């Protein structure tokens, strides 16, 4: 067999490299990590990058639910496939998606699990955006999540509206402020995993809750766009808290999109609804770019 040798001139090699880079496929990087002084340890995250990667891609921070981790939205939610399809269809602009590991923290600062609110806002967001050249300011940054992650997404966006241009909750585990222990089930108290005190402390829960942030949210000039979606057959009856949030926002004259869809508290519903969230975020980004 004769071995042929090919000489590629530098200019040709550069053209080949640029063509390859421009046509690089979408990429999912799993279980990366950043050092978090707030947690005093590393914080894991997974990262989706689209095929088209211009300067300063917008970013969506996508939070998992109770008992989950940074790989849930890919292994169970098929986020890479959904985002890639929508970007190829020009249904949404190219965007990065960061999926952090929030453990069972409810994404708040607590004695039980650590300072996860600070870890997200002060460690994860600045570092991932610096390292990967994504986001950069609120106009190119959104946050969403399912169940516990929906609680976290709304809470972080309502309390820190200068950070996010959009927030969305899918079957968010949210409750109006509590007046007594009877306002929340024993099962749900178990799901809180000690975040709001051991034993469960109503005063701690209400301080961490975000319904009381609605008046201050109304007062700011730049509020995040808000998307609420929940299944009508949710086995934890989370349609009650989601409806209460919708009504509270409407009463405060804060714009909000609300969808009650056919389904339970399952990945089948969230795989479908995340497409609508991505489309909504895409519209917000497109409108902001004009």
């Amino acid at each position: 067999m004769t071995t042929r040798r090919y000489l590629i001139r530098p200019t040709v090699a550069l053209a080949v490299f640029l063509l390859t880079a421009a046509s690089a496929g979408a990429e999912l990087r799993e279980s990366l990590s950043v050092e978090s002084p707030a947690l005093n340890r590393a914080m894991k995250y997974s990262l989706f990058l689209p095929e088209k990667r211009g300067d300063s891609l917008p970013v969506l921070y996508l939070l998992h639910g109770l008992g989950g981790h940074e790989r849930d939205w890919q292994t169970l939610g098929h986020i890479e496939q959904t985002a890639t399809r929508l970007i190829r269809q020009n249904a949404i602009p190219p965007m990065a998606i960061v999926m952090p590991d929030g453990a069972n923290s409810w994404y708040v600062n607590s004695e039980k699990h650590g300072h996860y609110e600070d870890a997200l806002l002060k460690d994860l967001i600045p570092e991932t955006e610096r390292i990967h050249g994504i986001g950069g300011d609120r106009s190119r940054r959104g946050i969403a999540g399912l169940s516990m992650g929906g609680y976290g997404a709304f809470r972080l966006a309502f309390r820190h509206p200068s950070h996010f241009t959009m927030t969305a909750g899918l079957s968010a585990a949210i409750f109006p402020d509590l007046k007594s222990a009877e306002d929340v089930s024993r099962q749900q108290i178990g799901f809180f995993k000690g975040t709001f005190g051991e034993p469960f402390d109503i005063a701690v829960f209400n301080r961490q809750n975000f319904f009381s942030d609605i008046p201050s949210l109304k007062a700011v000039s730049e509020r995040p766009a808000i998307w609420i979606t929940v299944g009508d057959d949710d086995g934890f009856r989370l349609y009650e808290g989601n409806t209460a949030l919708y009504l509270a926002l409407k009463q405060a004259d804060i714009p909000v999109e609300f969808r009650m869809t056919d389904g339970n508290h399952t990945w089948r519903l969230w795989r479908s609804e995340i497409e609508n969230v991505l489309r909504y975020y895409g519209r917000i980004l497109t409108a902001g770019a004009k």
Side-chain angles (χ1 to χ4, degrees):
M1 179 180 293
T2 303
T3 301
R4 296 185 179 182
R5 299 180 181 271
Y6 296 91
L7 176 63
I8 301 179
R9 295 178 180 178
T11 54
V12 176
L14 177 61
V16 171
F17 169 79
L18 292 175
L19 179 61
T20 302
S23 60
E27 183 179 2
L28 184 79
R29 303 178 186 176
E30 294 188 299
S31 297
L32 305 175
S33 65
V34 296
E35 287 302 317
S36 171
L39 296 176
N40 199 29
R41 58 175 174 78
M43 185 177 191
K44 289 185 178 181
Y45 68 97
S46 290
L47 171 70
F48 165 81
L49 292 171
E51 294 168 307
K52 300 176 183 177
R53 303 176 194 174
D55 292 336
S56 195
L57 280 170
V59 57
L60 175 66
Y61 290 88
L62 191 54
L63 311 182
H64 64 74
L66 188 73
H69 49 67
E70 77 282 358
R71 299 188 303 279
D72 276 14
W73 270 108
Q74 172 56 21
T75 57
L76 300 172
H78 305 166
I79 191 64
E80 179 184 11
Q81 297 89 325
T82 299
T84 298
R85 172 172 53 80
L86 292 175
I87 293 169
R88 286 177 177 174
Q89 294 171 348
N90 293 318
I92 63 173
M95 66 178 69
I97 301 175
V98 173
M99 296 155 277
D101 179 8
N104 290 329
S105 67
W106 288 80
Y107 304 96
V108 305
N109 293 340
S110 71
E111 293 183 8
K112 176 72 173 183
H113 301 286
H115 288 193
Y116 269 87
E117 178 179 355
D118 290 347
L120 281 162
L121 296 176
K122 298 179 181 180
D123 302 333
L124 179 85
I125 290 177
E127 278 301 289
T128 54
E129 295 188 1
R130 181 187 66 81
I131 294 169
H132 304 292
I134 58 180
D137 59 47
R138 76 174 299 274
S139 70
R140 297 190 297 276
R141 187 186 300 132
I143 188 166
L146 70 87
S147 196
M148 179 189 79
Y151 171 91
F154 286 142
R155 184 182 177 280
L156 289 167
F158 286 14
R159 292 201 168 187
H160 308 278
S162 63
H163 282 64
F164 306 101
T165 194
M166 189 280 305
T167 184
L170 299 86
S171 309
I174 54 181
F175 309 87
D177 288 352
L178 305 176
K179 295 180 180 179
S180 70
E182 287 69 38
D183 290 341
V184 63
S185 70
R186 198 174 287 271
Q187 180 188 42
Q188 183 58 56
I189 290 175
F191 289 152
F192 289 147
K193 301 294 184 182
T195 299
F196 307 109
E198 290 182 312
F200 175 70
D201 189 323
I202 292 174
V204 172
F205 176 85
N206 288 342
R207 280 199 305 271
Q208 293 282 22
N209 206 15
F210 54 83
F211 274 76
S212 60
D213 295 319
I214 291 176
S216 59
L217 182 65
K218 180 181 179 179
V220 300
S221 58
E222 289 188 317
R223 291 187 297 266
I226 303 168
W227 181 277
I228 302 171
T229 180
V230 65
D232 60 351
D233 296 314
D234 192 290
F236 302 107
R237 299 177 61 176
L238 293 177
Y239 42 76
E240 295 179 358
N242 282 263
T243 302
L245 177 60
Y246 166 71
L247 293 174
L249 291 168
K250 292 294 285 186
Q251 186 174 12
D253 276 333
I254 296 176
V256 55
E257 294 291 334
F258 177 72
R259 304 290 185 272
M260 187 175 292
T261 58
D262 182 29
N264 204 329
H265 201 78
T266 65
W267 277 103
R268 180 178 181 181
L269 177 69
W270 303 324
R271 281 192 294 268
S272 173
E273 286 303 298
I274 191 60
E275 179 168 334
N276 294 325
V277 170
L278 291 173
R279 288 178 182 272
Y280 180 64
Y281 185 35
R283 293 196 295 271
I284 300 301
L285 291 169
T286 301
K290 292 180 179 179

